[in-house]
């Protein structure tokens, strides 16, 4: 990892009152990823994989900007404390991807419900993933991802997930 620039980090926690970690894992495995009544809402995507503990979206555009396009993979694994979801970002259509690698969602049961801890390039994440989420040179798009774009996407996704749990 010595050839990587300094890694930006992001850690955020979402609570699903009254739910269990297995309920959230089931939504992530079975609910549509995009479209009406889905995890990510009406986002543009080239293709979205079928239900299961391993899923993939190709050509996912989290914002209506074609330059923000990713292939995203999700792989669920059971742990002693709940479920971890390895999220894999790639940009196979770009010669120099500005955002590629992995981060993790840690699902566990808390006092009031299910907890989703998102860990990007934190020590907790780097102990789990194969490749940190990064890019080779400075990128304004990557900066926007960490500065707020991804937070907004996750706020929308977790709101959708709460609705799917009901």
């Amino acid at each position: 990892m010595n050839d990587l620039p300094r890694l930006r980090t992001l850690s955020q926690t979402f609570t699903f009152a009254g739910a269990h970690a297995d309920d959230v894992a089931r939504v992530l495995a079975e609910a549509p990823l995009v479209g009406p009544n889905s995890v990510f809402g009406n986002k543009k995507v080239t293709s979205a994989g079928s239900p299961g503990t391993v899923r993939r979206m190709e050509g996912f555009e989290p914002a209506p900007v074609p330059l923000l396009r990713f292939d995203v993979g999700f792989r669920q694994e059971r742990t002693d404390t709940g479920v971890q979801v390895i999220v894999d970002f790639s940009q196979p259509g770009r010669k120099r991807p500005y955002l590629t690698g992995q981060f993790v969602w840690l699902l566990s049961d808390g006092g009031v419900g299910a907890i989703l801890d998102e860990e990007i390039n934190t020590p907790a994440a780097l102990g789990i993933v194969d490749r940190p989420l990064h890019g080779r040179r400075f990128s304004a798009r990557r900066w926007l991802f960490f500065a707020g774009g991804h937070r907004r996407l996750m706020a929308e996704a977790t709101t959708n997930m709460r609705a799917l749990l009901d």
Side-chain angles (χ1 to χ4, degrees):
M1 271 200 305
N2 293 339
D3 64 333
L4 296 176
R6 187 177 70 78
L7 297 172
R8 301 270 324 246
T9 62
L10 178 60
S11 179
Q12 51 187 348
T13 300
F14 303 93
T15 303
F16 299 87
H20 294 282
D22 286 340
D23 300 328
V24 177
R26 192 170 14 268
V27 165
L28 290 170
E30 297 175 1
L33 293 173
V34 292
N37 301 312
S38 69
V39 173
F40 294 103
N42 290 319
K43 306 288 186 223
K44 187 175 177 184
V45 67
T46 305
S47 68
S50 57
T53 58
V54 176
R55 301 183 80 177
R56 186 158 180 81
M57 294 188 296
E58 295 181 356
F60 177 64
E61 291 182 14
V65 179
L67 294 174
L68 298 176
R69 185 175 296 148
F70 306 95
D71 288 359
V72 185
F74 305 90
R75 184 179 78 237
Q76 289 189 26
E77 301 171 351
R78 182 144 309 276
T79 68
D80 292 341
T81 58
V83 176
Q84 67 185 21
V85 180
I86 309 278
V87 182
D88 188 293
F89 267 50
S90 63
Q91 294 181 297
R94 296 187 62 87
K95 289 181 185 176
R96 291 188 204 139
Y98 58 85
L99 194 59
T100 184
Q102 299 171 321
F103 57 93
V104 67
W105 292 337
L106 303 171
L107 303 172
S108 61
D109 290 321
V112 297
I115 306 294
L116 186 157
D117 285 315
E118 180 177 58
E119 301 291 333
I120 302 176
N121 295 339
T122 63
L126 295 176
I128 296 170
V129 302
D130 295 327
R131 297 171 290 115
L133 191 65
H134 71 285
R136 290 289 180 207
R137 296 190 305 189
F138 173 78
S139 166
R141 291 181 209 115
R142 187 173 59 251
W143 180 85
L144 287 170
F145 172 91
F146 282 100
H150 184 68
R151 290 180 196 274
R152 284 191 297 279
L153 175 73
M154 286 302 294
E156 180 183 343
T158 54
T159 297
N160 294 343
M161 290 163 52
R162 284 183 191 96
L164 292 165
L165 285 165
D166 289 339

